[in-house]
Amino acid sequence: MTYTAELLEQIKVVEATRPQRLGQTFPAMPLEERQELLRKFHPDYIESGMREVRIGSYKGNRMPIELADVIEGRPHIDAHFDLSDPDFETDVLIVGGGGAGASAALMAQENGAKVTLVTKLRFGDANTMMAQGGIQAADRPEDSPATHYLDVIGGGHFTNFPDLVEALVKDAPIVIAWLESLGVMFDKTPDGMMMEEHGGGTSIKRMHSARDYTGAEIMRVLRDEVRNRPNIDVIEFCPAVELVLDDRGAVCGAILMNFETERYFYARAKVVVLATGGSGRLHYQGFPTTNHYGATGDGLVLAYRVGAELAFLDTMQYHPTGAAFPEQILGQLVTEKVRGLGAQPVNVKGEQFVYPLEPRDVEAAAFIRECKERNLGVVTPSGQPAVWLDTPMIDLIHGAGTIEKALPAMVRQFKRFNIDMVNQPILVYPTLHYQNGGVKIDANCQTTVPGLLVAGETSGGVHGRNRLMGNSLLDVCVFGRRAGMTAAQLAKERQPGKPTLAHLESWNRALDEIGVNGAVRSPILIPNYARRD
Ligand SMILES: Cc1cc2nc3c(=O)[nH]c(=O)nc-3n(C[C@H](O)[C@H](O)[C@H](O)COP(=O)(O)OP(=O)(O)OC[C@H]3O[C@@H](n4cnc5c(N)ncnc54)[C@H](O)[C@@H]3O)c2cc1C
């Protein structure tokens, strides 16, 4: 669907103010104003969208209602499931076929472990594959891990776990070199230097990218590498539905489900790495999402049932710029790089109303305020609120052809609907993008449960209450690699005891006590989009 006549009229207002806006930058917000804005408009602060979880180690803590319902779900199997004859045995079982899982698999293999990677969909069907903008690393002389550290902590509102941030920024240059050595083709200048850009909340240009399909490029290379190494088996369409403990309370494998036959089976392992990604497909507060179909929070459910501690699950990231029009791509990501390159957010009167590169939560809250309180948003034909993102500014600032070169995938995406983002602004609104919190880990990815490691978006702590752009692809590689190395080491030391699912009995009892009726069976594995009428 192309722009309607009414929207084309409104575009003229944006065009009229463009020359005057070109030379202007809207000032960044002072700290107190940011806090006030977040409190009033960010979905994390909307009390009606949250509730306390009623059982387990996170009891009494708030999280989105949709997540709490899944966390308090009934298991797929019961405690009497036969564990006497595992279908296979491995040293390290990696659950999840995205960037964190693949990185973990490579490093565990390199450190001598026999590895099996199981994944719910195809290997690479993952948020990693969809990442567009880039990956941060302080690898230039004028930058330093210390400056990167300050940016990460500031972006996370000073709530991040410091040891995790230290690991993130110190390993970052190593990760970029590692990815390059495996074959990732980052954007470079003609003289071979890395091209690096700004992202929201960064004080210096350190965003490495491969055009606007950085995640696909990284995933392509990691997946090929996994497939080409000995001692790594990959099993697709086999989600984990439960973790198995041994008689000493350590994790010793998982129950997997064959998606095709719906048969459950036991995979025995010395160590399990959970790398199942985020939970955008739970559509908190009805928001659309940028996430892939398998992002249903499975890792949180699995880890929580065996007693792992959680952190920051009351905070989700709503990316300020999800596509708001046309409806066919509602919620899909318009990368922050677009604002990084100079596109300004503009209201219905053609006015800039916020600094374009505020931290994501602040920027998203400002968009919601513009539409809901100030009533200065645009309303699309389907009633979706939106603001303009003035993309033609990019070529005016950097020269003709810049958009096509830097954002080819996005230009194509809008062109399919006869929208020419090189010459026309696009409509955007916040979309559910990222799970800031997750399972608590230490800097070696160990959880509070022996034998269970977590890496990537399923983990919590490194980004505190807000993640900055480009730090998640980094997190996935840094902690994926660390999880692989730790897992290989632990596998050498551990000899699991007798497997048991007794913890499911106490879990079910706790659910009975709070009156959960079993309507939700979790992990839910795939979102239910069936019509309910
Ligand atoms: C559209 C988009 C753009 C983004 N852009 C950027 C960016 O530019 N820079 C940046 O730093 N970050 C970006 N991010 C965030 C970043 O891509 C993700 O946070 C990160 O890639 C997550 O990696 P992961 O390995 O933890 O999870 P994923 O890559 O999502 O992988 C999780 C894997 O686990 C599997 N799985 C799930 N449940 C189960 C189960 N029960 N059993 C077995 N397997 C299971 C999934 O199928 C999937 O294979 C973006 C995210 C999206 C959605």
Side-chain angles (χ1 to χ4, degrees):
M1 187 199 277
T2 186
Y3 283 133
T4 58
E6 195 183 331
L7 289 173
L8 287 171
E9 275 308 305
Q10 295 193 22
I11 287 177
K12 289 185 186 155
V13 180
V14 177
E15 287 169 345
T17 61
R18 190 176 294 144
Q20 163 241 333
R21 281 184 288 108
L22 255 175
Q24 288 177 349
T25 313
F26 199 90
M29 252 176 252
L31 208 57
E32 312 76 59
E33 196 185 329
R34 282 184 180 174
Q35 291 305 338
E36 176 65 16
L37 181 68
L38 289 173
R39 263 197 300 275
K40 274 181 86 177
F41 295 100
H42 194 277
D44 284 355
Y45 296 81
I46 307 294
E47 279 309 319
S48 58
M50 313 291 270
R51 78 166 170 88
E52 288 180 4
V53 71
R54 294 168 293 174
I55 56 173
S57 60
Y58 207 58
K59 183 174 167 178
N61 287 289
R62 290 161 79 245
M63 58 172 69
I65 291 170
E66 298 82 351
L67 179 59
D69 289 349
V70 165
I71 290 275
E72 291 176 356
R74 293 275 175 179
H76 288 249
I77 52 162
D78 68 27
H80 305 296
F81 186 88
D82 182 10
L83 299 169
S84 62
D85 186 19
D87 273 52
F88 67 84
E89 298 194 32
T90 188
D91 293 337
V92 176
L93 178 69
I94 293 170
V95 182
S103 301
L106 293 174
M107 295 317 283
Q109 184 267 355
E110 241 169 82
N111 285 275
K114 175 176 160 33
V115 179
T116 305
L117 183 151
V118 295
T119 189
K120 179 158 66 178
L121 304 166
R122 292 170 305 180
F123 185 15
D125 286 342
N127 281 353
T128 303
M129 185 64 99
M130 302 169 80
Q132 302 176 349
I135 172 167
Q136 290 203 44
D139 58 358
R140 294 198 300 181
E142 63 273 32
D143 197 1
S144 71
T147 318
H148 190 179
Y149 181 98
L150 292 175
D151 284 349
V152 177
I153 293 262
H157 307 299
F158 307 97
T159 54
N160 322 49
F161 297 163
D163 54 336
L164 299 187
V165 184
E166 185 182 342
L168 182 85
V169 300
K170 278 190 172 163
D171 282 10
I174 300 168
V175 156
I176 297 293
W178 178 67
L179 290 172
E180 253 210 307
S181 75
L182 294 177
V184 171
M185 290 188 285
F186 288 112
D187 295 341
K188 293 201 168 158
T189 57
D191 59 0
M193 300 297 286
M194 285 279 185
M195 284 168 69
E196 299 183 32
E197 289 301 333
H198 266 301
T202 63
S203 59
I204 196 164
K205 291 182 178 181
R206 67 168 77 90
M207 190 75 61
H208 305 63
S209 51
R211 305 286 186 95
D212 58 350
Y213 39 77
T214 312
E217 174 63 5
I218 290 175
M219 197 69 240
R220 171 187 76 82
V221 167
L222 293 179
R223 188 174 51 184
D224 279 1
E225 193 64 23
V226 167
R227 292 239 191 248
N228 285 324
R229 291 217 185 154
N231 270 336
I232 310 181
D233 288 330
V234 175
I235 307 177
E236 297 177 312
F237 297 108
C238 280
V241 298
E242 210 62 61
L243 292 172
V244 179
L245 294 174
D246 71 8
D247 46 4
R248 294 189 293 270
V251 169
C252 66
I255 305 297
L256 309 177
M257 176 194 181
N258 180 322
F259 245 160
E260 203 178 343
T261 61
E262 298 194 7
R263 188 178 81 87
Y264 297 104
F265 60 99
Y266 171 36
R268 186 174 163 87
K270 292 177 180 161
V271 184
V272 173
V273 178
L274 279 181
T276 54
S279 58
R281 288 282 157 183
L282 298 182
H283 294 290
Y284 305 129
Q285 298 182 34
F287 271 83
T289 185
T290 59
N291 285 195
H292 82 113
Y293 285 98
T296 49
D298 299 359
L300 300 177
V301 172
L302 299 181
Y304 196 58
R305 271 197 204 135
V306 293
E309 288 182 20
L310 306 176
F312 300 120
L313 279 174
D314 57 333
T315 140
M316 299 292 154
Q317 183 164 90
Y318 295 80
H319 196 292
T321 54
F325 183 87
E327 230 177 320
Q328 292 92 324
I329 54 167
L330 180 67
Q332 282 189 29
L333 185 68
V334 172
T335 170
E336 197 162 291
K337 201 169 164 185
V338 179
R339 280 172 291 134
L341 286 166
Q344 290 172 350
V346 169
N347 65 21
V348 74
K349 291 162 109 180
E351 299 161 341
Q352 269 192 91
F353 59 89
V354 62
Y355 175 64
L357 292 173
E358 293 284 2
R360 282 186 180 165
D361 50 356
V362 176
E363 190 85 5
F367 285 19
I368 295 172
R369 176 178 65 183
E370 203 64 12
C371 296
K372 299 232 156 130
E373 189 187 64
R374 296 181 174 165
N375 216 12
L376 290 174
V378 177
V379 179
T380 73
S382 64
Q384 166 72 37
V387 298
W388 292 109
L389 188 58
D390 197 9
T391 45
M393 296 187 74
I394 296 176
D395 276 8
L396 293 175
I397 297 168
H398 301 283
T402 307
I403 301 185
E404 300 257 16
K405 191 152 183 240
L407 305 160
M410 191 147 302
V411 170
R412 263 201 313 279
Q413 166 166 293
F414 280 96
K415 222 170 227 166
R416 281 170 51 215
F417 303 99
N418 288 326
I419 291 172
D420 170 17
M421 66 179 282
V422 177
N423 295 300
Q424 293 173 311
I426 56 176
L427 285 167
V428 293
Y429 195 71
T431 177
L432 178 53
H433 186 53
Y434 185 77
Q435 179 183 286
N436 288 318
V439 182
K440 251 190 201 173
I441 56 167
D442 67 16
N444 293 317
C445 301
Q446 302 208 59
T447 65
T448 46
V449 182
L452 179 64
L453 309 183
V454 173
E457 197 169 334
T458 315
S459 72
V462 64
H463 308 290
R465 301 187 66 80
N466 182 52
R467 171 187 71 99
L468 297 184
M469 178 200 175
N471 280 336
S472 176
L473 281 178
L474 179 61
D475 160 0
V476 157
C477 294
V478 165
F479 293 101
R481 281 166 49 91
R482 284 179 172 236
M485 289 186 261
T486 312
Q489 185 55 40
L490 288 176
K492 286 178 193 146
E493 297 160 4
R494 296 194 67 227
Q495 214 31 267
K498 193 170 178 308
T500 165
L501 286 166
H503 60 284
L504 296 187
E505 272 173 2
S506 39
W507 180 262
N508 281 326
R509 257 199 315 277
L511 290 181
D512 290 343
E513 277 163 22
I514 58 167
V516 168
N517 62 13
V520 179
R521 218 199 292 177
S522 67
I524 65 166
L525 305 176
I526 289 291
N528 180 4
Y529 290 130
R531 261 178 198 233
R532 295 204 184 109
D533 55 13

